[in-house]
Amino acid sequence: MTNEEYHTFIQPYADASEVLLARLNVLKHNLYGEASGEPIHNIQNRMKKKESIEGKLRKKEKEATIMNAKDYLQDIAGVRVICYFVEDIYNLVDSLKRQTDLIVIRECDYISKPKPNGYRSYHIIVGVPVYCIDGMEYFPVEIQLRTMSMDFWASMEHRILYKMERDDREKLAAELKEYAEHLVKIERRFEQFSVGNAVKL
Ligand code: 0O2
């Protein structure tokens, strides 16, 4: 895939991502009433780089073409939503699902069923309608919803272990799994201190 092909290809995915960011920002401000806090701490987004698209296609044993990227990759546009509480994640997912012009392509709840290594997050791939002069087409955007503690763990694990070769892999993986379990406990403790149980001074 040439640089030019990549830039033309990526544009509608970037547009879909922008549409979704706008929707998430609206939910950030109005999902709960004034008295309660906002559900979202911060939102990050990224477009998959050309080299990363090519690498992922090669791993799937597909030729690195634009056609294959469109057919086999659904995480070209990615949005990460960092929330305060687990409940916020489920409320946001419900609200997104009620937006009838979005289509749910795939979802995976790694919160109720964490990965064996301790990874937790809610993944949902939605088809976002993008309108252009030729009409409308859905483009997939992968949304990862996490609490701050899930994000802390996943970001560190991504940095030091995920897809890495290390001699101490097994030992480190066991230690990280233990930390993931500690974080679940801390998260639950924080839930007990949430707004429902507090009055603003
Ligand atoms: P990167 O480097 O973040 O881009 P897919 O791989 O998307 O075709 P799959 O296997 O269903 O299909 O994806 P999954 O398991 O839902 O994971 C998608 C993304 O979630 C990963 O993207 C990671 O960003 C994140 N993720 C999943 N499992 C883990 C984990 O164990 N640790 C961490 N830190 N992140 C995880 P990529 O493309 O694999 O990686």
Side-chain angles (χ1 to χ4, degrees):
M1 125 183 16
T2 63
N3 283 339
E4 205 184 334
E5 278 174 337
Y6 168 76
H7 287 296
T8 311
F9 168 68
I10 212 89
Q11 189 56 53
Y13 289 88
D15 295 334
S17 181
E18 287 301 322
V19 169
L20 200 66
L21 285 174
R23 305 259 179 120
L24 285 163
N25 272 312
V26 171
L27 289 174
K28 177 178 177 184
H29 302 130
N30 73 11
L31 187 69
Y32 303 140
E34 277 275 300
S36 315
E38 294 182 341
I40 297 175
H41 182 263
N42 71 82
I43 303 175
Q44 302 151 15
N45 71 315
R46 68 103 185 91
M47 300 303 297
K48 221 174 182 61
K49 297 215 167 67
K50 177 175 171 288
E51 297 69 30
S52 179
I53 291 177
E54 291 169 339
K56 195 152 185 177
L57 284 173
R58 271 196 296 275
K59 240 172 82 191
K60 288 179 181 275
E61 297 182 353
K62 304 283 174 205
E63 210 187 320
T65 62
I66 292 291
M67 225 27 192
N68 284 342
K70 197 172 167 70
D71 288 348
Y72 295 105
L73 303 185
Q74 290 178 320
D75 64 343
I76 287 166
V79 172
R80 190 168 285 158
V81 184
I82 314 299
C83 297
Y84 288 89
F85 300 108
V86 170
E87 194 188 4
D88 298 327
I89 295 175
Y90 288 111
N91 288 337
L92 283 168
V93 169
D94 282 349
S95 295
L96 284 173
K97 285 181 174 171
R98 281 199 298 272
Q99 301 197 0
T100 50
D101 58 343
L102 298 179
I103 51 173
V104 177
I105 299 172
R106 187 151 58 96
E107 66 189 308
C108 204
D109 182 354
Y110 295 125
I111 297 174
S112 66
K113 254 186 156 219
K115 283 196 165 183
N117 63 355
Y119 176 79
R120 296 160 73 232
S121 255
Y122 197 105
H123 294 186
I124 180 164
I125 299 172
V126 292
V128 179
V130 175
Y131 291 85
C132 57
I133 38 171
D134 299 331
M136 184 275 272
E137 195 180 333
Y138 287 100
F139 285 86
V141 180
E142 184 192 69
I143 316 173
Q144 297 180 349
L145 297 106
R146 301 171 172 174
T147 60
M148 284 182 274
S149 57
M150 291 175 201
D151 188 52
F152 164 65
W153 187 94
S155 301
M156 294 307 291
E157 194 264 356
H158 195 280
R159 178 76 180 250
I160 62 180
L161 194 64
Y162 192 62
K163 296 179 183 169
M164 299 259 181
E165 276 192 37
R166 303 182 53 131
D167 295 341
D168 58 350
R169 185 163 233 291
E170 234 169 85
K171 189 169 164 281
L172 183 55
E175 192 171 335
L176 290 187
K177 177 145 193 199
E178 212 178 288
Y179 294 153
E181 286 157 9
H182 282 307
L183 286 167
V184 172
K185 286 191 199 132
I186 295 171
E187 203 172 76
R188 294 212 175 119
R189 193 76 188 113
F190 274 110
E191 270 161 19
Q192 293 170 353
F193 304 134
S194 75
V195 170
N197 301 320
V199 179
K200 207 165 185 177
L201 294 174

